Amino acid sequence: MYRKIMSEVDVKQTLKLVLEKIEGAFKNRPSTLETEKPYLVAVSKTKPAEMVMEAYEAGQRHFGENYVQELVEKASHPGILDKCKEIRWHFIGHLQSNKVNKVISIPGLHMIETVDSQKLAEIVNRAWEKRRQEVASTEERLRVLVQVNTSGEGQKSGVEPAEAVQLYKFIRDNCPSLSVQGVMTIGKFDHDYSQGPNEDFIVLMKCHENIIKELQLNPQDVHVSMGMSHDFEHAINAGSSIVRVGSSIFGTRTPKSNAAN
């Protein structure tokens, strides 16, 4: 199965094309936007660990997974552990409280992008602090993003846009083992760009603006994670500093759910 996938997808070439598009979109972004230069999270869900290793060999370091079990399996894969020492995993799916310990225990965890409540933030904070004590770790605080439900869809997780500043401030002030670094959204999947800008992107950028204004932060210190395979160039043009791209790099797949692509 892996050989078949590899015969259909040249990961190094598709990765190169995506990175070129990211660079081009950033160069064309309005100068009035002050978010950080965007970086790529390569989303490898449903794809074999060998494809992750190939992308890593081509220079990619940030990888994302939607499902806890798949993240655990890939992060613990002998080949990845041996050949991908500097890998940085992002968890980008809905995180249930009872799965927190599994996620924070994986090697190479860099960021949880989907903190959507004070309760979850507190659980992650306690779990990360406990883990650091158990393994006598000198690791830095765990990076997290506040997930915002910009589309108002009931099946999607995230705080209401009006609550983004409050949750951001709560994590900053009450979760000493966490480093809150920005906001994230999934948004709708069927926006027609011929009809105008994506409202989800506008809403998330407004959240970013409110956070930096009310908490007196540098715009470049607050990440905006939005944009996937079908619209990451539009997202960068709107101000995204993290794009999550899967199928454009690793090939199409049968979606399991409405999770980040």
Side-chain angles (χ1 to χ4, degrees), residues 46 168 175 206:
T46 78
Y168 194 102
C175 300
K206 183 63 177 178

Side-chain angles (χ1 to χ4, degrees), residues 21-68:
K21 289 181 179 180
I22 290 173
E23 189 68 29
F26 176 64
K27 287 181 179 178
N28 292 326
R29 186 160 79 183
S31 58
T32 53
L33 293 171
E34 298 182 285
T35 43
E36 186 64 89
K37 181 178 181 179
Y39 71 84
L40 169 67
V41 174
V43 181
S44 54
K45 72 175 183 180
T46 78
K47 299 300 182 180
E50 287 82 359
M51 295 185 88
V52 172
M53 288 186 278
E54 184 171 4
Y56 184 95
E57 185 180 340
Q60 180 62 23
R61 292 296 179 265
H62 292 268
F63 292 85
E65 287 292 339
N66 294 70
Y67 306 111
V68 173

